[in-house]
Amino acid sequence: MPRFTIHDLAETIDARAAAGGEASYTRKLLDKGAEHCAKKFGEEAVETVIAAVENDRAHLIAESADLLYHFLVLLKARGVKLEEVEATLDKRTNMSGLEEKASRKSGS
């Protein structure tokens, strides 16, 4: 059985963004603008945190799926590709987390 990946989700979002009409929730979100997409992402982040704090595994999984979806929609709204985020993560794996965090504070 093939695994569903975050890239599959990004491709689905791209396809639905390109489609017109009232049938696509993704298209409706994008039509409301990047600020609306950012707010939806924030709402999902809070809901994910609440699920984690409440130690509700099933709810955490469901909210995490929503969070990833809304994150990718937000990236799409701002014209940022998942591959660009991955490239930044790749660069950061070449140093420790503490070193990476310190480099951001110094403007590097």
Side-chain angles (χ1 to χ4, degrees):
M1 179 165 118
R3 242 178 65 177
F4 184 81
T5 70
I6 195 163
H7 287 277
D8 296 327
L9 180 58
E11 288 175 14
T12 299
I13 289 168
D14 286 344
R16 291 183 181 166
E22 293 292 310
S24 171
Y25 178 61
T26 300
R27 183 72 261 158
K28 285 181 180 184
L29 287 170
L30 292 168
D31 287 346
K32 290 181 180 180
E35 293 81 9
H36 178 77
C37 294
K39 288 176 186 176
K40 286 297 295 177
F41 175 69
E43 290 170 15
E44 295 302 335
V46 169
E47 291 171 6
T48 302
V49 169
I50 291 168
V53 169
E54 291 176 347
N55 198 23
D56 184 337
R57 188 176 195 281
H59 191 208
L60 177 58
I61 291 168
E63 292 300 339
S64 296
D66 292 345
L67 182 68
L68 288 173
Y69 165 78
H70 284 282
F71 172 63
L72 293 178
V73 170
L74 176 57
L75 292 181
K76 179 76 175 170
R78 286 296 188 206
V80 176
K81 301 239 180 253
L82 178 58
E83 291 79 9
E84 294 175 271
V85 176
E86 289 175 321
T88 297
L89 288 170
D90 184 51
K91 288 178 193 172
R92 290 180 181 181
T93 61
N94 294 322
M95 61 179 78
S96 78
L98 294 174
E99 289 172 325
E100 189 281 325
K101 190 168 182 147
S103 75
R104 284 190 278 154
K105 287 182 181 175
S106 67
S108 306

